[in-house]
Amino acid sequence: MKRSPRLSRRSLLRRSSASAALPTLGLALSAAYEPAAAQDADRGGVEEVVVTGSYLRRAEDSSSPLTILTQQELAFTPRSSIAEVLHADPAFNGSDVFTSFGTGMGTSTSAPINLRSLGPRATLVLLNGGRSVNNAQPNRDGVVTFDVNSLMPAIAIERVEVLKDGASALYGTDAVAGVVNFITRNDFEGIELQASWQQTDVGGQNERLVAGLLGHGTETSHVLFAFEQLERDPFDYLSHPDVYAFNQANPQLGANGSPGSFRLIPGQAYNELVPPGRENRLIRDPLCGDPRLGEGTVAGVPGFQGSPANNDQICRLDGRLGRAAISSVDRTSVYARIDHGVAESLDIGMELGFTRSDFQRAAGYAGAAPESLVPASHPANPFGGDVLFRGSILGPAAGPDRTNVFTASSDTWRVALFADGDFAPGSNWRWDTKLTWSVNEAFAQNRGVVPERVANALLGLGGFGCDPNTGTPGVGDCRYYNPFGSQYLASPGDPEHNDPALIDFMTPFAENISRSRLVTATGVITGDIAETRAGEVSVAVGYEFRNEAMKNDFDPLTLAGEFAGNREVPFDANRDSHALFFEFLVPATSTLELQLAGRYEDYGEGIEAVVPKIGMLWDATDNLIVRATYGKSFKAPGLVPTYATSAGLTDTVNVPGIDTLFPRTVTRPNPNLEPEKADAYSAGITWSATDRLTLTVGWWRFDTRDITGQESAQLVVEEYVRTGAHADRLTFDESGVLTDIDLIFDNFSILNTEGFDLSLDWDFDIGRAGALRLATAAAFMTKFDYQIREDQPVVDGLGRTNSNVFADAAPELKANVSLTWQRGAQYARTTVRFIEGMLHSALADDHPLQANQDYVQVDLVYGLTVGASDRPLELRFAVNNVNDERPPIFLGAQLALPQVYDSRGRSFSFGLTKTF
């Protein structure tokens, strides 16, 4: 198909700069890159390439909305992970790249990405066009997601192709909202070493990164090897003074403190510490709130507060204190690739990859046990009679700040074998094959409370060497646990002191070991089948096989149901799928190109999908390109919602009369789930007004239905209050506090979203002072409607956090504007990022704690290259969030919305890259 050379060249340059306002991996990627299309155009031609969204070689333009982040663009603003780069793009939203894993077992440590707020389940991630395995542990919504940071060392990335359009017709499941394809630096020659350091202005969080790249080739072969080591310290959001002040003024309190509360038992005689009142009531510990126990947000043991009420006094804890907003991370990643030309028309190769990530997070408190008897004979009992203890188990074993440390690790292996060639030398018929094997193994460890051991220890029969059937309370290996505030004033050897070994006995580690595996085999044949006046008609046909498997297991105590609140069930499942697909590229006229594609996929057990796609690319004039697509997409039900029982904690349930912090949930599997389906539409224009000014406007729409997800605990409780339904699925304790909720995986009704993208790229010279580039990238969301079930109303989620439902946060406007200066070996960039404010869905619109203010962040970076051109040394200095903008405070577990905002505030970084 004939193209306008000027527009074709400009269009690729536009795509490389359409995200010019994007924060990028400046400290992990080299800037020494020139767009290939520009090189080819300088030689008087345009090379045909294969871009994401097609199996066919073509000129670089595509009928689908495609953004290409080149190395040149990935050099301007420092970020330490590719997940953070994509998170800042206005097209991405709701990505969990800054959040920390949850407090329940089986919560994912992955950093997924999320296009168009359709959920991480709807974005397919590829490496050199091939799939890789998902993280073995589901997130808190029971969704298995892909960890972008485990894919490869970022230093090895040549470019990132982002297809912002439904692509299931070509790629199958997961490509509902689009595809992100990472392309490696396969032709790199030499050695490149990088190092960077970053520190936050508040909270003292440091990040340290070192990376290296080695490439060497001969006439027939090439070898590439890369490594990366990242160390990230934890970050406490409460280190922001204003966030700390908010937490003081609006404590989100649980009902189980330490010191705790004690229930009086009818018929018991008590001393003067128990004032007259109702018999079966709670009274707080005498030292609850006593300043001798430490300073915190209120007087008392850090994180705890006593209620002054006479009846049902509750010594509460603040579940947010001591909880890291971002985990510490120690990640090591290596990647190797070998390409070899066996013959003129045959190439083979192999990829090897491994990433290990270790996480550690102060994750709150060890937990609470059911109310247990504290006899009057207990040596620390100050009340003179038997009482029932209600509180959390804390002590030296829980750490110096009395918090529970959650640790997790994730290992990911990937092997890919590939071969491609011509059917005959000089033939336009080609074949490509790829076989991939990838595995993720994840391990999580968290302290839990064993109620039986707590009950025995309160009777003086606790300890690893104590037999409660034959032992004597408080004698020998049998010891008392002191649940009263006096434990914090006692010294080792005192009767009131709790031995750390006794705390270990009552709060052993709960462990979760999970494994996921993905095997894929793909074969594609491409070629020209006919020639018309407008050009060649090209076709691609292919077959893909996938086998996915997951296994989840737990420690013996968890499997036996010994832990309070842990009701985990192991599972082991696998599934095969087979797919046939085709693609036609038809030049209708000399300026109009049509793309037709279709796919049939069969998962067995009656689960199958047939999805088509049609695209149009029109060179309307030498300065104007028009594109449009329509297609159907699908997402097959995952193995977790189909086969697994998922347990964990949910966030705050805000229902009048039943406000509850972190109720425990168990979500049951559903083998009758339907595939998620979607209709995807897109249209856009690219206008090259001059050689230096390009404007792109795009429209997109996704109509999704039968979305697989976990029921909302919030909505289940709301329906219970409104109609009395689900009474058998809610558990309340003796005080009427909601503690447990049974949920199910189900197909929800609809999620429809629509909006516009806008990008402007303007280059201009400023004489001897250098050159400037002004770039904008914005996503205007005009619709975000969801419906839980057909008999329930359609909810307008636009401009809302959409908390406690299957939908994600949906800001109406997310935009970046950047100004880049470049002169010789120097460059500087200022980037302004804007996110429109949102209403918290769990609060009334007029609630005084609604935090719907807009967010504006300014980033600065300066770079300098010194030394010989063939062995340069690049230095970079950056300040991210110069204005120290703090995200809106959302009342909840973390006070922030990490799926949208980076809560770390201002940070400073320095990095260098040396090439040999």
Side-chain angles (χ1 to χ4, degrees), residues 30 32 189 192 825 865-874 914-916:
S30 169
E189 293 284 338
E192 185 173 288
T865 301
V866 297
S869 60
D870 59 338
R871 296 187 302 274
L873 172 64
E874 300 174 46
K914 175 61 178 175
T915 303
F916 301 92

Side-chain angles (χ1 to χ4, degrees), residues 291-359:
R292 289 179 295 168
L293 301 188
E295 296 296 329
T297 57
V298 294
V301 174
F304 305 95
Q305 176 179 330
S307 169
N310 187 42
N311 289 316
D312 281 338
Q313 299 175 351
I314 297 176
C315 191
R316 302 175 182 268
L317 64 81
D318 186 340
R320 293 179 302 220
L321 291 175
R323 185 187 301 272
I326 297 177
S327 310
S328 67
V329 179
D330 188 346
R331 182 170 64 242
T332 302
S333 184
V334 294
Y335 171 82
R337 178 184 172 103
I338 302 174
D339 293 274
H340 178 62
V342 178
E344 181 182 352
S345 59
L346 175 60
D347 297 315
I348 62 174
M350 178 173 62
E351 290 178 332
L352 301 172
F354 171 75
T355 298
R356 161 161 286 184
S357 299
D358 293 316
F359 303 82

Side-chain angles (χ1 to χ4, degrees), residues 438-723:
S438 53
V439 169
N440 175 259
E441 290 186 350
F443 171 80
Q445 186 181 70
N446 186 30
R447 282 194 180 273
V449 172
V450 179
E452 183 180 5
R453 295 184 179 184
V454 173
N456 287 333
L458 291 171
L459 297 175
L461 298 172
F464 289 106
C466 178
D467 184 345
N469 296 314
T470 60
T472 301
V475 177
D477 291 332
C478 296
R479 301 182 181 183
Y480 279 100
Y481 168 63
N482 178 11
F484 300 95
S486 58
Q487 65 175 298
Y488 300 112
L489 301 178
S491 301
D494 294 344
E496 294 86 2
H497 181 260
N498 286 321
D499 191 321
L502 181 61
I503 304 297
D504 289 339
F505 168 75
M506 296 185 296
T507 61
F509 285 106
E511 298 178 348
N512 174 210
I513 303 172
S514 51
R515 187 176 191 268
S516 60
R517 185 195 70 233
L518 178 67
V519 178
T520 66
T522 306
V524 183
I525 297 173
T526 61
D528 299 334
I529 59 173
E531 183 175 358
T532 68
R533 291 182 179 180
E536 298 284 352
V537 178
S538 301
V539 64
V541 293
Y543 165 78
E544 182 179 65
F545 165 80
R546 288 202 306 274
N547 170 265
E548 51 184 331
M550 289 195 69
K551 184 177 182 179
N552 210 356
D553 206 353
F554 302 88
D555 63 277
L557 289 175
T558 298
L559 293 175
E562 297 290 333
F563 285 107
N566 262 8
R567 293 173 287 176
E568 305 284 4
V569 178
F571 87 102
D572 188 350
N574 69 86
R575 177 173 62 192
D576 293 340
S577 67
H578 303 266
L580 297 172
F581 55 89
F582 71 88
E583 178 189 5
F584 287 97
L585 197 61
V586 181
T589 70
S590 61
T591 60
L592 178 63
E593 174 186 279
L594 301 178
Q595 180 194 26
L596 305 172
R599 186 182 187 97
Y600 167 75
E601 193 144 355
D602 182 10
Y603 286 82
E605 300 180 354
I607 301 176
E608 58 184 0
V610 177
V611 287
K613 182 175 182 178
I614 182 171
M616 178 272 290
L617 181 67
W618 177 35
D619 281 355
T621 69
D622 283 349
N623 300 316
L624 183 66
I625 289 178
V626 181
R627 55 175 51 86
T629 65
Y630 164 74
K632 290 183 176 293
S633 290
F634 74 99
K635 164 68 177 174
L639 294 178
V640 169
T642 304
Y643 301 105
T645 297
S646 176
L649 302 177
T650 190
D651 206 338
T652 306
V653 171
N654 291 296
V655 178
I658 316 183
D659 288 356
T660 302
L661 178 66
F662 302 142
R664 296 181 291 262
T665 62
V666 173
T667 307
R668 311 296 179 185
N670 184 351
N672 299 315
L673 291 169
E674 295 289 333
E676 178 180 333
K677 308 173 186 69
D679 291 294
Y681 308 81
S682 74
I685 61 170
T686 298
W687 178 45
S688 196
T690 70
D691 284 337
R692 295 180 176 275
L693 177 62
T694 301
L695 173 69
T696 298
V697 179
W699 167 81
W700 47 270
R701 174 179 167 183
F702 294 91
D703 294 339
T704 60
R705 55 198 179 277
D706 295 331
I707 299 168
T708 300
Q710 176 179 288
E711 274 187 317
S712 162
Q714 172 80 16
L715 296 182
V716 168
V717 177
E718 287 180 0
E719 191 168 344
Y720 164 76
V721 171
R722 187 173 62 253
T723 67

